[in-house]
């Protein structure tokens, strides 16, 4: 996985979710692909998805439970997990997690 995104436009206005427990910025690549880059502060949250997503964990450690799953899986820097569209996932973080969300 690359350590940076090159040739992008960044939307200045931040996305703030869950009373500031998750903060991200949208980025648009030269080919029009959209991603979000952000952090999740220590918390237990549920994210709903519209489009399919791949969550790339850049830093930190988290536990994730996908919709309809009973078990939690751990993810740390250099790992990723996929979430189907029109679904959700639960995430627990005990330290700040840096991530890139790839849509589609």
């Amino acid at each position: 996985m690359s350590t940076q995104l090159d040739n992008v436009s960044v939307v200045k206005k931040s996305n703030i979710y869950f009373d500031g427990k998750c903060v991200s910025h949208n980025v648009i690549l030269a080919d029009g692909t959209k991603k979000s880059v952000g952090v999740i502060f220590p918390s237990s949250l549920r994210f709903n998805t519209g489009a399919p997503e791949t969550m790339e964990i850049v830093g930190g450690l988290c536990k994730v439970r996908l919709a309809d799953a009973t078990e939690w899986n751990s993810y740390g820097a250099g790992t990723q997990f996929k979430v189907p569209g029109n679904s959700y996932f639960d995430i627990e973080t005990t330290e700040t997690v840096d991530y890139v969300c790839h849509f589609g």
Side-chain angles (χ1 to χ4, degrees), residues 37-102:
V37 177
V39 294
I40 301 172
F41 296 102
S43 55
S44 295
L45 307 172
R46 174 169 286 180
F47 285 88
N48 295 305
T49 62
E53 299 179 0
T54 299
M55 290 288 289
E56 175 187 348
I57 307 303
V58 178
L61 183 65
C62 62
K63 292 191 318 186
V64 174
R65 182 176 58 201
L66 299 176
D68 302 323
T70 55
E71 294 187 21
W72 291 83
N73 292 305
S74 294
Y75 298 92
T79 64
Q80 61 183 17
F81 61 92
K82 295 182 182 293
V83 185
N86 299 313
S87 187
Y88 68 88
F89 64 95
D90 296 315
I91 187 167
E92 290 185 2
T93 61
T94 56
E95 58 186 75
T96 301
V97 169
D98 292 283
Y99 70 90
V100 177
C101 181
H102 306 266

Side-chain angles (χ1 to χ4, degrees), residues 5 8-15 17 23-29 33-38 99 101 103:
L5 297 171
V8 300
S9 296
V10 177
V11 177
K12 291 184 198 179
K13 176 86 172 112
S14 62
N15 305 303
Y17 304 103
V23 180
S24 68
H25 282 273
N26 293 330
V27 296
I28 304 157
L29 281 65
T33 303
K34 296 179 183 176
K35 303 181 184 297
S36 65
V37 177
Y99 70 90
C101 181
F103 299 103

